Amino acid sequence: MAVERTLILIKPDAVRRRLAGDILRRIESRGFTVVGGKLLTVTRELGEEHYGEHREKPFFGELVEFITSGPTWALVVEGEGVIATMRKTIGATNPANAEPGTIRGDLASSMPDNLVHGSDSPESAQREVALWFSADELG
Ligand code: IDP
Ligand code: MG
């Protein structure tokens, strides 16, 4: 399996609830490496661009309000098969359906505040890493 990079967001609800350390521990405990990271409050422009695929969805307004509502930790995480494995570690989009042992299954209960974002494919990962980070911010 190839060494990949993925964009992970520790979203505003997780930062507010002081869960960032717990989430980072779970990522590192799987053996993955953080190669870039920053804490920022997402602008409306970045939030809308990041979630562009959902622009026509009924929850888009609520989603952009949520992602811009406070500081987010943006991380680039590297490892073998990291894109798919992090999606499994994060758990199902709706925390009500997320398995215990996953981040959402252990720590969240509803949407949109489901704590974490992880890129869903190599194409998304490439787009999202480039959207959030410049090359000189990555190790
Ligand atoms: P993902 O984060 O698991 O990839 P997506 O379907 O890409 O899930 O949705 C992006 C984000 O939009 C979700 O993580 C969640 O925060 C929010 N979201 C998705 N579906 C709903 C919904 O039905 N109501 C409110 N928020 C939603
Ligand atoms: Mg998604």
Side-chain angles (χ1 to χ4, degrees):
M1 205 178 284
V3 174
E4 302 171 326
R5 288 183 171 189
T6 190
L7 181 80
I8 299 295
L9 302 178
I10 301 178
K11 301 202 261 192
D13 56 331
V15 175
R16 271 193 290 276
R17 292 176 56 201
R18 273 59 172 179
L19 292 173
D22 186 331
I23 292 166
L24 180 60
R25 180 189 61 74
R26 290 166 186 250
I27 295 168
E28 291 193 321
S29 297
R30 290 222 66 163
F32 296 133
T33 305
V34 176
V35 296
K38 56 189 168 187
L39 183 72
L40 74 166
T41 299
V42 175
T43 61
R44 195 161 197 91
E45 189 186 13
L46 177 57
E48 289 181 353
E49 181 70 29
H50 174 74
Y51 281 126
E53 66 175 305
H54 299 303
R55 210 173 281 274
E56 308 304 326
K57 306 269 173 68
F59 59 83
F60 186 66
E62 181 190 11
L63 177 56
V64 173
E65 283 303 312
F66 163 60
I67 200 67
T68 59
S69 68
T72 289
W73 278 108
L75 307 174
V76 177
V77 178
E78 184 177 87
E80 275 196 28
V82 68
I83 299 168
T85 301
M86 274 308 306
R87 292 284 294 189
K88 286 189 200 144
T89 292
I90 290 167
T93 300
N94 186 343
N97 301 327
E99 294 294 329
T102 64
I103 294 169
R104 288 168 175 165
D106 285 351
L107 303 172
S109 57
S110 65
M111 292 190 294
D113 41 341
N114 58 7
L115 302 172
V116 193
H117 168 83
S119 306
D120 64 9
S121 66
E123 295 70 31
S124 302
Q126 196 166 29
R127 180 185 85 85
E128 292 172 0
V129 168
L131 179 65
W132 287 75
F133 287 87
S134 58
D136 65 359
E137 291 175 310
L138 301 176

